[in-house]
Amino acid sequence: MSGLGISAPRLLLRKLHQVMAAHGDAEQRLNEIVRLIANNMIAEVCSCYLRRAGDVLELYATEGLKKSSIHQTRLRLGEGLVGDIAARARPLNLSDAQSHPQFAYRPETGEEEYHSLLGTPILRGGRVIGVLVVQNRTRRTYTEEEVEALQTVAMVVAELVSSEQMVAATEFSDTAGNATLPHHVTGRVLAEGLAAGYALLHEPRIEVLHTISEDRAQELERLNSAVSALQSSVDKLLTATNTLFSDESKDIFEAYKMFAHDKGWLKKLQDAVKTGLTTEAAIKRVQDDTRARMKEITDPYLRERLSELDDLANRLYLHLDGRKQIDRRNLDKDTVVVARNMGAAELLDYDRRHLKAVILAEGTRSSHVAIVARALGVPVVGQCKDIGESVEQGDFILVDGEHGQVFLRPGDDVQEAFARSQGQRELRQAKYAALRDKPNISKDGIKLSLNINAGLLIDVDHFPELGADGIGLFRTELQFMVRSQMPKIDEQTELYSKVLDNLNGKPVIFRTLDVGGDKLLPYLKTKAEENPAMGWRAIRIGLDRPALLRSQLRAMVRAAAGRELSLMFPMIAEVSEFLEAKAILNKEIERASKKDSGAPTKVRVGTMIEVPSIIWQLDHLLREVDFISVGSNDLMQFFFAVDRGNPKISDRYDTLSPTLLTLLREIANKCAKADIPLSICGDIAGRPLEAMALLGLGYRNFSMSAETLGRVKEMVLSADIGKLESFVNKLCGARDHSVRDQLRAFARDHSIIV
Ligand code: PEP
Ligand code: MG
């Protein structure tokens, strides 16, 4: 098996093409293929294992091993070398396979004579559907070209195995290979609601329907024209991007452009096509290669660069034959977006009329994508680990964002049960709607303020239907995130005016831009940071780039001319930051008062409490602010040192831990003493049991996603706050991990609806 030059795989591919094109039994063709591979690669053995139901790999065809072992030899995923290749989805190249600790001897095959082994997974749509192996008697290490050649051949086998004929002939129809069966996935509720729609994969997947090309010259032309289309679209992106921080963002776009024109990358693609692959197969081959390299590289900078190449491969695929790209902004049917993870801005990119639900392999409840989804009323089920492997583009999906369930390709009975759940949910919503006009007063007569968190005009349009007291948090960054360019002062002014108009005198608190961390603006590309949540974000950007903060404050002041304005700053870590920001605001107020349009009649300025350090400066801060709003999402993140976006640790600490409750009580007590209005606008304000605990700690003003308002109101109306206060106060002293159970028992015993 001497090194294979470019001509050897070409010859093999041509022969394989003839086999593929021939009529006849699929299994016979598979036999013919393994014979051809063995001959062409000068191997004594070539075997093909396919994945069957129950994650078993079964020997389907072999040249060299005993024929009687066909359909007899089976290995579980992870068992033996074949099982290992399948489980890791990576090739294995061994000069002495039998001395490998994973080696599992199967006497029926007669493989004891063979020492060296090269195996590669057979992949289809990113899933392992089998393993292709060659073996030799001599102890030898296969060359890189040979590994690549076998990987290419594995693509051809994947095509054959997935052909209808093969599926029918071999009953090869398990969930791994042929995703047509119903499938159920359990995840976590990140945004409530129930919805149905058709799957749209957020990260495009390269589908290789045909591996071997009919006409190499023509294929090369296809590749080249796709490459030109890609290059010009990337160039356009670069010129169209009106960057705010031009130097920093330019680097990134330039690097991207450089890759699109990278000669090495293009040559690899062309070489693959020249060996006889279709363009799709060539892109896939080169992408698989990049991914394999990525797994081995630990340097974050290089990994980032390689991931750009990976992304470019996806884009190139979309440019093939002017393929109709899915226009996210104009979807034509009810859609469930399936992604590994995504940023809030990407979610906003989808057509809101048809975006019905989102399923994420990762994601946490306090990640910004979840917050935005809740604002939009789009259910999200996250932490569905293997969702990417189970779903196909266009699959019908039911998303139960109440219990964290996802039903792929559901049968009639599941669809009927789901429709019943939808009915019950509507009844509940009707019950909440009926509470709408009831005043927000607790059972023991204490007046409360229930507000919503908002950020888009649609929230404001629906405001009158909600029965909320006001908007306790207006996340202005969402407006910045939905645009491809920085909104001008006039545009910002218009938005803030509309919000104030629609609220018709009811209170609204604008928060200045809180970007950075996981909230990225397409035109504000910043350098990658090691710890973005603790990095250059929110007020830190505002103070370092005062022009940005100033323009936003100017827009707010203008919008509120002749009426009241309330605004707050995010991520304040010390009093001096607040004072600095307020000084910029004061200049804007002064400036406006000299103009004809005039200044607001009153301006109330507050801060978010999100960074623990400010709590130890509260005595000073409370002398400067008009109000305080607790952002418990970030506060919890920094208090427990637990990344709010990391599902691995998102359950490690409970929001109802006595330490966090004690901290929240401290804030409430200080504000009460200083007579400074206090509210809470993090996720916990919208969860009935948590909100009940907050009532006991002295919180009277809550701001939450509109979706949760009804439930919290129901709790409030049934709560006796006097009794709650003494109970929750006692709990603060507990040393438990969580006091959730105690609070639940209290609610049950006192008929509080949570
Ligand atoms: C918070 O941190 O609790 C908060 C309300 O702000 P955001 O979720 O937008 O970071
Ligand atoms: Mg925050």
Side-chain angles (χ1 to χ4, degrees), residues 200-203 336-342 350 358-362 381 384 387-388:
L200 175 63
L201 304 180
H202 180 64
E203 294 98 5
V336 174
V337 172
V338 181
R340 191 179 49 76
N341 208 348
M342 68 165 102
Y350 284 98
V358 175
I359 306 171
L360 300 176
E362 299 173 6
V381 175
C384 300
I387 188 74

Side-chain angles (χ1 to χ4, degrees), residues 311-380:
D311 186 42
L312 267 184
N314 289 334
R315 277 177 190 252
L316 179 59
Y317 171 71
L318 294 177
H319 281 286
L320 268 181
D321 307 327
R323 197 176 297 263
K324 194 174 163 284
Q325 293 191 35
I326 292 167
D327 180 0
R328 291 177 180 175
R329 286 168 195 260
N330 289 299
L331 302 171
D332 57 2
K333 53 177 179 266
D334 287 351
T335 298
V336 174
V337 172
V338 181
R340 191 179 49 76
N341 208 348
M342 68 165 102
E346 291 174 287
L347 179 71
L348 290 168
D349 220 22
Y350 284 98
D351 178 349
R352 301 252 294 279
R353 293 163 307 156
H354 289 296
L355 173 64
K356 295 297 163 192
V358 175
I359 306 171
L360 300 176
E362 299 173 6
T364 62
R365 207 178 151 85
S366 57
S367 61
H368 285 105
V369 64
I371 289 171
V372 171
R374 288 201 290 276
L376 299 178
V378 172
V380 183

Side-chain angles (χ1 to χ4, degrees), residues 368 511 514 519 537 571 608 610 631 633-634 644:
H368 285 105
R511 176 175 74 182
D514 181 7
K519 286 188 272 196
R537 56 173 285 204
M571 290 284 291
M608 301 272 294
E610 292 165 296
N633 304 336
D634 274 312
R644 65 191 270 186

Side-chain angles (χ1 to χ4, degrees), residues 229-238 256-257 260 312 315:
L230 168 78
Q231 289 171 337
S232 70
S233 89
V234 171
D235 293 351
K236 246 191 245 153
L237 188 80
L238 191 65
Y256 207 74
K257 182 176 165 180
L312 267 184
R315 277 177 190 252

Side-chain angles (χ1 to χ4, degrees), residues 636-673:
M636 167 118 183
Q637 152 163 276
F638 299 122
F639 185 58
F640 282 118
V642 61
D643 181 349
R644 65 191 270 186
N646 185 343
K648 245 195 211 150
I649 43 173
S650 58
D651 286 339
R652 190 163 187 95
Y653 306 99
D654 194 10
T655 44
L656 289 173
S657 83
T659 55
L660 186 68
L661 294 183
T662 308
L663 185 81
L664 293 171
R665 181 178 63 176
E666 174 80 7
I667 300 169
N669 287 349
K670 289 230 153 120
C671 287
K673 210 162 137 215

Side-chain angles (χ1 to χ4, degrees), residues 558 561-562 590-600:
R558 265 199 215 163
E590 206 184 301
R591 186 174 185 271
S593 57
K594 288 182 194 144
K595 299 226 162 183
D596 289 346
S597 48

